[in-house]
Amino acid sequence: MDLIRTQSLTKHYDGVVGLSDLTVTIPTGTIALVGPNGAGKSTFIRLLLGLLDPTAGGAQVLGEDIALRGVALRERVGYMPEHDCLIPAMTGIGFVAYMARLSGLPKSQAFGRAHDVLQFVGLREERYRRIAEYSVGMRQRVKLAQAIVHDPPLALLDEPTAGLDPTGRAEMLGLLKALSGTKERSLVLSTHLLPDVEGLCDFLVVLNGGRLLAAAPTREILSVDSGELVIRVKGDLSRFVAALEHRGVVTHPARHEVRIERPSGGERVLFEAAAEAECQIRYLGPATRSIEELFLQMVPASSGGVA
Ligand SMILES: Nc1ncnc2c1ncn2[C@@H]1O[C@H](COP(=O)(O)OP(=O)(O)OP(=O)(O)O)[C@@H](O)[C@H]1O
Ligand SMILES: [Mg+2]
């Protein structure tokens, strides 16, 4: 079963286009919704949750039609909103247990699960403090905790890394990576920070100005049919590059790897160069473009690009 299917899904806000004629099929897995500010990411997520009514078109989430706004669907989907959804006067544990109840967990399980998820997000020590006293990073963690407290097969996370410092961001990405490890759980996360996506998400949906630019497996979107190769070695990279150039290979060295144009005489020459430079080839594969490069190609400069 597909995770999400949409048919010409459209949302206009009093003449402003939020999402335009979006038809897409998204498989289960860890999905990134990427696009610059105003791309329509939050609109899309809120439509999927039934929090907004579409102007036209429709969608199914986990096989269920969003127009039905079923309680069953709410119990199977977690949501981490972009903006604060927290109740400052409550303690972390009280709030997460309350959200667990709203998501359909019986009282007997709600507190136990709330303790478990707060431990998971690293708020064990702070769980009895009032949310009003939490830092931005702690608030993001509580928001994540309440989204997954009922162990939903799908969690929709709107900008989970927003507002975090580099350490907090790395920690949040670590949590998401841990959550994405199981086949039973799919994550859809929106971000305009493209490096967040690499290494975490296996499928990308790229939006801009409310329109779909691309939807495909990350590897497919990022691979380029340039005929170039990327090589990483153990040893002295600059010596390896020199040995390659000595053999007429065109090189584009970077900090930890070298991109080369595929040598006409085959790959043997690469291993000869490695042997001469006393290096070991650790990785050899087709060159991919970074998500940043992809964006610069896809999103016209006039739209402001990606922050
Ligand atoms: N409640 C609203 N009323 C009017 N226009 C809205 C509303 N919500 C969103 N929009 C407009 O719809 C478009 C898409 O907005 P949306 O918030 O979905 O984008 P986004 O990709 O989530 O952006 P960001 O990265 O800034 O969160 C924007 O032009 C925005 O101004
Ligand atoms: Mg948004």
Side-chain angles (χ1 to χ4, degrees), residues 13 16-18 35-44 82 159 192:
Y13 301 96
V16 177
V17 176
N37 293 137
K41 306 180 294 292
S42 300
T43 299
F44 184 35
E82 183 175 27
E159 307 262 1
H192 59 275

Side-chain angles (χ1 to χ4, degrees), residues 120-139:
F120 170 74
V121 301
L123 286 178
R124 200 184 119 78
E125 304 293 322
E126 295 89 353
R127 69 199 144 146
Y128 293 113
R129 281 172 58 189
R130 288 189 326 134
I131 290 172
E133 299 165 20
Y134 283 8
S135 68
V136 172
M138 290 159 71
R139 284 165 179 260

Side-chain angles (χ1 to χ4, degrees), residues 279-290:
C279 289
Q280 216 180 331
I281 294 185
R282 278 296 174 86
Y283 174 82
L284 170 65
T288 57
R289 58 187 154 188
S290 71

Side-chain angles (χ1 to χ4, degrees), residues 27 42 107 115 128 131 143 151-154 159 171 173 273 275 304:
S42 300
K107 205 170 180 177
H115 281 285
Y128 293 113
I131 290 172
K143 274 164 64 179
D151 201 16
L154 168 62
E159 307 262 1
E171 286 170 359
L173 291 174

Side-chain angles (χ1 to χ4, degrees), residues 65-302:
D65 207 295
I66 56 167
L68 301 176
R69 295 168 178 265
V71 174
L73 187 58
R74 201 179 64 209
E75 291 178 0
R76 292 163 68 210
V77 181
Y79 173 42
M80 176 174 176
E82 183 175 27
H83 300 296
D84 247 5
C85 59
L86 303 170
I87 303 173
M90 292 183 91
T91 61
I93 184 78
F95 177 71
V96 175
Y98 170 68
M99 293 304 284
R101 296 278 288 135
L102 288 188
S103 302
L105 278 195
K107 205 170 180 177
S108 57
Q109 288 176 26
F111 266 92
R113 278 289 306 168
H115 281 285
D116 290 348
V117 285
L118 284 168
Q119 163 117 17
F120 170 74
V121 301
L123 286 178
R124 200 184 119 78
E125 304 293 322
E126 295 89 353
R127 69 199 144 146
Y128 293 113
R129 281 172 58 189
R130 288 189 326 134
I131 290 172
E133 299 165 20
Y134 283 8
S135 68
V136 172
M138 290 159 71
R139 284 165 179 260
Q140 284 298 86
R141 287 161 188 259
V142 180
K143 274 164 64 179
L144 176 63
Q146 61 79 33
I148 57 170
V149 66
H150 54 306
D151 201 16
L154 168 62
L156 298 169
L157 313 173
D158 200 350
E159 307 262 1
T161 57
L164 300 178
D165 65 22
T167 311
R169 187 164 149 233
E171 286 170 359
M172 177 59 75
L173 291 174
L175 292 173
L176 299 181
K177 185 91 187 159
L179 283 174
S180 70
T182 65
K183 264 189 89 154
E184 292 73 36
R185 188 184 296 106
S186 290
L187 299 180
V188 173
L189 60 106
S190 78
T191 182
H192 59 275
L193 298 170
L194 302 174
D196 283 5
V197 168
E198 281 166 318
L200 179 63
C201 297
D202 32 48
F203 194 92
L204 294 184
V205 177
V206 187
L207 297 173
N208 185 42
R211 295 188 175 275
L212 181 70
L213 292 185
T218 310
R219 208 178 310 145
E220 211 172 280
I221 285 197
L222 296 183
S223 73
V224 275
D225 196 17
S226 63
E228 290 186 337
L229 297 171
V230 166
I231 309 175
R232 281 177 222 127
V233 294
K234 187 180 174 205
D236 186 339
L237 182 67
S238 51
R239 262 185 85 185
F240 176 58
V241 169
L244 286 172
E245 286 182 346
H246 183 67
R247 286 167 174 75
V249 178
V250 179
T251 68
H252 308 280
R255 225 150 79 101
H256 301 296
E257 59 189 31
V258 57
R259 202 153 45 88
I260 63 161
E261 286 172 26
R262 200 182 284 272
S264 51
E267 289 174 6
R268 197 169 52 95
V269 64
L270 307 178
F271 291 94
E272 285 172 10
E276 182 190 303
E278 294 172 355
C279 289
Q280 216 180 331
I281 294 185
R282 278 296 174 86
Y283 174 82
L284 170 65
T288 57
R289 58 187 154 188
S290 71
I291 294 186
E292 315 268 353
E293 285 170 319
L294 170 84
F295 243 86
L296 290 173
Q297 281 168 19
M298 278 188 171
V299 179
S302 58

